């Protein structure tokens, strides 16, 4: 999956394990915020009255996902700060497992983070 990686020199680069762990923690915290936004959006939808109670209970699992992401984000931040410095990993074997370009950039300490914008205009498409 080499084509996903943004930096052509990534084949020869190394990642500091503590910095990578910190970036993973930050990404988990970002995903927790996104999960909270999804939970809020679902709660204001009008389908709740006509939806099967079992489906509603299933949707409440989003709260569990949010809490787990928050906890894992805090855990990775703590692991990062306690990790010995100087441990290096080869970047290519680590980052080549990722499919999302934004995630590669956000986890690579040598790249700028990609900030996704909320689009106010346009059509909403359910996946």
């Amino acid at each position: 999956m080499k084509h996903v990686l943004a930096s052509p020199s990534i084949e020869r680069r190394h990642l500091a394990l503590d910095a990578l762990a910190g970036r993973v923690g930050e990404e988990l915290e970002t995903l927790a915020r996104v999960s909270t936004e999804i939970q809020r959006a679902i709660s204001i939808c009008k389908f709740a009255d006509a939806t099967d109670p079992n489906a509603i209970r299933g949707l409440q699992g989003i709260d569990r996902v949010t809490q787990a992401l928050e906890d894992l984000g805090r855990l990775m931040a703590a692991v990062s700060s306690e990790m010995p410095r100087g441990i290096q990993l080869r970047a290519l074997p680590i980052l080549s497992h990722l499919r999302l370009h934004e995630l590669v950039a956000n986890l690579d300490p040598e790249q700028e983070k990609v900030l996704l914008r909320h689009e106010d205009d346009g059509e909403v498409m359910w996946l």
Side-chain angles (χ1 to χ4, degrees), residues 97-115:
H97 292 279
L98 304 174
R99 292 182 295 165
L100 299 174
H101 295 278
E102 295 86 10
L103 193 54
V104 171
N106 288 348
L107 295 184
D108 186 347
E110 292 188 18
Q111 291 192 39
E112 292 267 336
K113 286 192 172 194
V114 175
L115 301 175

Side-chain angles (χ1 to χ4, degrees), residues 44-104:
I44 61 173
C45 288
K46 301 295 182 198
F47 69 85
D49 294 335
T51 303
D52 180 74
N54 288 328
I56 297 295
R57 279 191 284 282
L59 289 171
Q60 288 173 339
I62 294 171
D63 185 53
R64 165 78 169 83
V65 169
T66 301
Q67 291 178 42
L69 287 169
E70 289 169 345
D71 280 352
L72 290 171
R74 286 190 295 272
L75 175 69
M76 286 307 297
V79 166
S80 171
S81 67
E82 292 294 322
M83 198 171 279
R85 304 299 176 246
I87 298 173
Q88 299 288 315
L89 304 172
R90 290 181 304 138
L92 183 62
I94 299 298
L95 298 178
S96 67
H97 292 279
L98 304 174
R99 292 182 295 165
L100 299 174
H101 295 278
E102 295 86 10
L103 193 54
V104 171

Side-chain angles (χ1 to χ4, degrees), residues 31-48:
L31 291 172
R33 283 191 298 276
V34 170
S35 182
T36 298
E37 291 173 12
I38 292 169
Q39 191 174 354
R40 287 183 186 137
I42 288 173
S43 69
I44 61 173
C45 288
K46 301 295 182 198
F47 69 85

